[in-house]
Amino acid sequence: MTVLSVSACSAPAGGQSTGRIKVAMLQPPRSGLSPFSDDAFKLSRWSTAETLVNLDERGDARPALATAWTRTSERTWEFTVRDGVTFHDGSRLTAQVAAGALTRATRATPKPRILDGVELTARAEGGKVVVTTREPDPLVPHRLSSPQLAILAERAYGADGKVDPVGTGSGPFKLVKVNGTTTATLDRHDGYWGAKAKAPGIDVSFVPDGAARAAAIRSGEAHIAEAVPVSQAALLAKETISEVPMPRTNTLYLNTAKGPFKSPGLRAAARASIDAGQLVRGVYEGRADVASGLLGPALPWAAEGRGSLGERTAPASAKGVAITLATYSDRAELPEVASVLQQQLRGAGFAVELVVREYAHIEEDALAGKFDAFILSRATVLDSGDPVAYMQADFTCDGSFNLARLCDEDVDRAVREAAAADAGPARHAATLEAEAAILRTDAAIPMLHERVIQGDATTVLDSAKDPRERVLITAETRLK
């Protein structure tokens, strides 16, 4: 079935190219391509739905459907809406339309992830959208860059709460058809407000099997394949593979609340036993980066500003200490990482029992602290392009995803200071202070930073290689 869905978008008989770009995507839509769900990232990667704000390579906010913004008080921001934007249905972008889209996002069930813990209201005043938050929030422009807060034409939003992005976006490509979880079709939008798309359209196939996506590049059935597994990358011609550091860290979380790793010395012993280079060379075949912190090379300011952690806790003897190490099988490399790590920890004296299940069947136990150690591949910037939300969720006393069950006064204070800092250098510096506070606890041991591995046929020009995986096809992307 997977092969058929790729073939449905193959070139015309005789091998002639139509100029349309054929894309093999990892995951099919889960929520009918609603922008309020994770499906929003597909709309963004196809350049069909747009947001008021974009993020540049350093994660700084830049104009998109809003041309400028001003913080008028601690809790209020004004965004100037771009003139001359026409949606794919022919209607025009106004401040009223933009404010209405944001308001619907705040009322969605479930609420878009970018708005977790955030109370936000939006209203139109003249040509501006006025956004007010309950608490001071220096990251409002960054939040509005999330694909989950894309602005669609008014007719996209149904009275039943459902959202239909077909023909209602504003990007250089118009979504014209979605065939369930199998395919999607987009055509060039000639009325686009910016530079017109150079390709006439995009033909998307949803191909969950990684081997099938890689095979589609080899056979020519796809021009671009996202998320090529490490095991398949070596089977593709070198010139068809690109790798970009992504803000995702493979981390060992240690249970600090109970069991052996309540001891700082035993946490230090675990840290000292890990050879991340062996994991990168062996499991990832060199297609990853050894971690020097929680934040990797996808955030260049982290490496530029990171300092010494100072004196660390000395390792205690781990001889005969029994621990349970767990991970999940959904990401192909993690069970192998766990197996190698089991041997490394045994080398330090730990007696290691290994548990591997599908993520859906292990998350509840992990969050409940039923394992001594847990290996997680974790996105570190989440939807705002800022890592503080990740640190709040994973490492503070009230964190909603605190696998390490860490509750440390110094960490909480450092994360609070980072959350309150203004965007830019001051926030970067405060974030690195928070990272250092977390690392000094040894509650989380970063091992390696993963890379986006993308397959591109040699006929493809200017596809995006985006660490945040928000952009794939742009107006510049085309075939030779």
Side-chain angles (χ1 to χ4, degrees):
M1 182 174 179
T2 295
V3 175
L4 287 175
S5 66
V6 176
S7 301
C9 294
S10 58
Q16 297 177 352
S17 172
T18 63
R20 295 180 64 85
I21 301 169
K22 298 175 292 184
V23 183
M25 303 286 288
L26 167 61
Q27 292 179 332
R30 294 177 175 177
S31 304
L33 289 176
S34 168
F36 301 152
S37 71
D38 281 347
D39 288 351
F41 290 83
K42 294 176 177 58
L43 303 176
S44 173
R45 285 170 75 72
W46 302 334
S47 289
T48 189
E50 299 179 300
T51 50
L52 290 175
V53 179
N54 282 337
L55 297 182
D56 65 14
E57 291 181 357
R58 292 183 65 86
D60 295 327
R62 294 290 181 260
L65 293 181
T67 57
W69 48 89
T70 303
R71 190 175 189 177
T72 58
S73 73
E74 277 197 331
R75 299 188 302 110
T76 304
W77 297 73
E78 289 184 354
F79 294 81
T80 302
V81 172
R82 185 179 297 275
D83 288 331
V85 175
T86 302
F87 291 106
H88 299 153
D89 66 352
S91 63
R92 297 185 70 81
L93 172 68
T94 64
Q96 287 81 5
V97 171
L102 295 177
T103 298
R104 289 181 177 96
T106 66
R107 296 172 179 171
T109 305
K111 186 185 292 187
R113 187 173 56 215
I114 189 64
L115 297 179
D116 280 350
V118 176
E119 288 193 20
L120 174 152
T121 61
R123 69 182 190 277
E125 286 188 3
K128 300 180 188 295
V129 176
V130 179
V131 175
T132 303
T133 55
R134 186 182 66 176
E135 303 293 336
D137 185 355
L139 277 191
V140 166
H142 292 70
R143 293 192 193 283
L144 298 192
S145 77
S146 169
Q148 293 185 327
L149 299 183
I151 309 299
L152 302 181
E154 280 192 297
R155 79 169 179 85
Y157 305 97
D160 58 359
K162 293 183 179 179
V163 188
D164 184 4
V166 175
T168 57
S170 63
F173 291 98
K174 175 182 179 179
L175 182 61
V176 295
K177 185 178 181 182
V178 180
N179 184 17
T181 59
T182 306
T183 62
T185 304
L186 300 96
D187 292 339
R188 177 168 50 216
H189 174 45
D190 290 327
Y192 183 55
W193 59 267
K196 305 300 185 289
K198 293 184 176 178
I202 309 169
D203 295 318
V204 179
S205 294
F206 302 109
V207 188
D209 183 81
R213 289 196 305 281
I217 292 291
R218 291 197 300 271
S219 67
E221 291 183 322
H223 297 117
I224 300 173
E226 66 171 6
V228 174
V230 168
S231 61
Q232 295 296 316
L235 304 178
L236 295 177
K238 186 177 180 180
E239 61 270 22
T240 66
I241 283 290
S242 63
E243 300 177 41
V244 179
M246 66 189 304
R248 178 174 286 276
T249 303
N250 193 310
T251 302
L252 179 66
Y253 289 75
L254 302 180
N255 188 337
T256 64
K258 64 179 182 180
F261 291 127
K262 190 173 182 179
S263 161
L266 287 176
R267 297 200 297 270
R271 166 178 41 89
S273 73
I274 295 173
D275 180 356
Q278 182 184 7
L279 297 173
V280 169
R281 293 187 302 272
V283 179
Y284 285 83
E285 301 176 12
R287 301 181 190 275
D289 299 286
V290 173
S292 54
L294 296 169
L295 310 177
L299 299 174
W301 54 264
E304 294 165 5
R306 182 178 285 123
S308 170
L309 292 177
E311 188 174 347
R312 308 289 299 273
T313 300
S317 172
K319 187 175 181 180
V321 175
I323 61 171
T324 302
L325 172 66
T327 194
Y328 50 103
S329 57
D330 305 52
R331 300 187 75 88
E333 295 81 16
L334 290 189
E336 191 174 350
V337 167
S339 180
V340 173
L341 201 58
Q342 180 183 39
Q343 296 306 313
Q344 293 181 356
L345 290 165
R346 282 176 174 171
F350 290 100
V352 186
E353 176 189 356
L354 189 59
V355 177
V356 179
R357 303 180 204 149
E358 290 183 4
Y359 188 79
H361 299 142
I362 204 169
E363 181 189 49
E364 184 177 351
D365 284 349
L367 287 170
K370 293 187 177 180
F371 307 115
D372 299 307
F374 193 84
I375 303 168
L376 182 73
S377 175
R378 180 66 160 142
T380 58
V381 297
L382 305 184
D383 295 339
S384 67
D386 178 81
V388 176
Y390 142 73
M391 293 178 175
Q392 287 172 322
D394 286 31
F395 303 113
T396 61
C397 294
D398 295 327
S400 61
F401 201 75
N402 192 342
L403 294 178
R405 305 178 77 76
L406 179 65
C407 189
D408 182 278
E409 183 179 332
D410 291 339
V411 169
D412 274 26
R413 180 172 56 252
V415 173
R416 280 197 305 271
E417 290 174 357
D422 288 337
R427 192 176 184 89
H428 294 166
T431 300
L432 291 176
E433 288 293 333
E435 180 196 59
I438 294 164
L439 292 176
R440 281 192 286 267
T441 70
D442 285 323
I445 302 170
M447 297 182 290
L448 58 92
H449 306 295
E450 298 181 17
R451 299 176 186 168
V452 178
I453 304 178
Q454 183 173 306
D456 288 81
T458 55
T459 55
V460 175
L461 296 173
D462 294 329
S463 68
K465 280 77 176 179
D466 178 19
R468 288 183 288 268
E469 297 181 289
R470 292 184 174 196
V471 185
L472 180 62
I473 307 294
T474 73
E476 293 296 314
T477 310
R478 62 200 184 279
L479 303 181
K480 294 180 182 177

